[in-house]
Amino acid sequence: IEFYQKAILISEKIGDKWAIANTSRNIGKIYLEEYNYTKALNYLNTALNIAKEIRSYDLQKSIFRSLSEVYYAKNDHKKSLEFFQKYSDIKDTVFKIEQDRKYTISELKHEIEKEEKGNRLLQNELQIEELMNSRQKNLQGVIILAALLILVLLFFTVIRYKSKIKINKLLADKNKEIELKNNELLSFNEKLEENISIRTKDLQEEIEERRNTDVKLKIALKKADEANYLKNAFLANMSHEIRTPLNGIIGFSSLLLTELSILENEELYEYAKGIQNSGDRLLHLLNNIIDISRIEANDLELSLKPCSIPRIVKSVVALYTFKANEKGLTLNVKSEDVPEAIADETNLNKVLTDIIDNAVKYTEKGFINILTEYDSDKSRIIIRIKDTGIGIDPSYKSHIFEAFRQESLGYSRTYQGAGLGLPLAKKIIDMMGGQIDVESEKGIGTTVTLYLDESGKKTEIKAPEKTEIKPSIISTLEKVPELFLVEDDRMNRLVLRKMLDKFAKLVVAVDGEETLKLIEKYYNENKIFELMLFDINLPAPWDGILLMKEVKKRWKEYRKIPFVAQTAYAMSGDKERLLEAGFDDYISKPVNQNTLIYSIKNQLKKVEELK
């Protein structure tokens, strides 16, 4: 079979259909002997189709016989008889054709012999007649005939000679023309090859140059991606590493303020207040660094919608009224009746906070005026913040929107800061489609003007009121909830214990293994915790996400218990990632006591509603 199949391939290459049909028939007969009737039928039918195409009756006869044998072996006697009948019919047809052919050949031979015999008789008669004529002709007739023959021969010889000369001349001309064309073609081919060679060389050089450029671009892109990834990873890690101790600093300072205010220890209260202010300042700086890095990496998304500018300005100014009064500054706010602006309320609040914070920081005496007005010609809202502070030196004005630049550098700086307020404000305002201008004169003061586009909607969209939980109403739940806390940092455990001391019963674990042991212990005592508060960054091999999934996997009762993530990971996408992983809420460090308790109450309330 293997060699027959090779023979079929060779026959297909040379186009020998008879050989293909004959070989297919032989393969079919082999499969018949092996009792593989399906393959036998496939090959015999293929051979039959080709035999019919080339009208080979001998092959058809043999194939019909083999097909009859196959169907007989398969006990399909009806089919077997049908093909045997075809075999007999074609056998008779072939025999008849052969007999007719033999009869026709015999008849033809007989006619040929008869014709040859007649020709011989006719030749003999002609010869006799010629002999008789030749005898009757006289010598003169013989001479005339010979002369005529000679003339005819001479005539044909001359004509042939002239024709030969003419043909030779034409051949010579054609040869010269062909030679000329060959030379021209050879010259053209040489020029063409030369041009192709030059063009190919140019194309190869161009392709090589492009390939080198692509390689350089890919390397540069890879380096840029790696640098961006490393920068984001660095910021994420630094954010986590800074927020974790900040949680302890701000948390303890907040608790100290509460305790010292109760003890009425004014000196220590001021110390604690200084600690909290420093922590808040450090957190503000960290947030600004992360925000400006996210903007440069195109990672900050804004939610633009109609906003009430006077309301936003009023809420920000309220934060700085006390600080301005403390420095003896007059803080004036004047708001005209302006339409809503299209802006991101959260980030506009951040921009105004940074600008007003700078105005209060760099103004020692005088006033700070905040004006809100509407430019009807350009359909935009204007927010103007003017102070009588130290102003900006003319040589520094071109650098005010460059991040990390400051007018005074080195050890002799009068005012502290990282130089991120105005650069961050400009980038955010630009993303909102607005504009920011700064006018300043050294020793006179500074005016910062923001321009925002009108939203086009006259209806005011009221901002949702934020629910604030005060420490005085912490324990208003009907019963004290039982919570489970996982936190590996000792200082953060102390802060959280103190924050939740009067609000809930707390069981604390420091890592994943201790968590699973404690939960199993209390589970065996038929005790299920009402809420799980997990830190995300835990000692290996666990993290908060894996630990949450393991708890839900081992104890199905915890699939209905709320899990709250409290973590120092506060980069873009961290909250969404944790919520998608299965957490019910997310609190970023430093943890605010009111925010923490509000989140816990909110989750416990949802559980009660589901019951």
Side-chain angles (χ1 to χ4, degrees), residues 564-610:
V564 177
Q566 53 97 17
T567 177
Y569 290 110
M571 295 293 286
S572 174
D574 285 334
K575 180 177 181 179
E576 292 74 13
R577 179 173 61 85
L578 292 171
L579 293 178
E580 288 176 3
F583 281 96
D584 298 282
D585 203 356
Y586 164 96
I587 300 174
S588 64
K589 295 178 181 177
V591 176
N592 179 276
Q593 185 182 23
N594 291 338
T595 304
L596 174 62
I597 295 174
Y598 173 72
S599 175
I600 293 172
K601 279 191 170 185
N602 189 39
Q603 293 302 321
L604 293 176
K605 183 179 179 182
K606 289 180 180 179
V607 173
E608 288 296 324
E609 290 175 353
L610 289 175

Side-chain angles (χ1 to χ4, degrees), residues 130-147:
E130 285 179 0
L131 287 173
M132 291 177 67
N133 289 333
S134 64
R135 289 176 182 176
Q136 291 176 359
K137 290 179 182 178
N138 52 25
L139 183 60
Q140 185 178 2
V142 173
I143 294 171
I144 293 171
L145 181 61

Side-chain angles (χ1 to χ4, degrees), residues 307 309 339-343 374 378-381 432-435 451-456:
C307 300
I309 299 302
E340 293 181 327
I342 188 75
Y374 177 59
K378 297 183 178 179
S379 298
R380 60 184 184 178
I381 292 87
M432 293 181 188
Q435 181 183 342
Y451 301 93
L452 296 171
D453 291 333
E454 180 187 357
S455 69

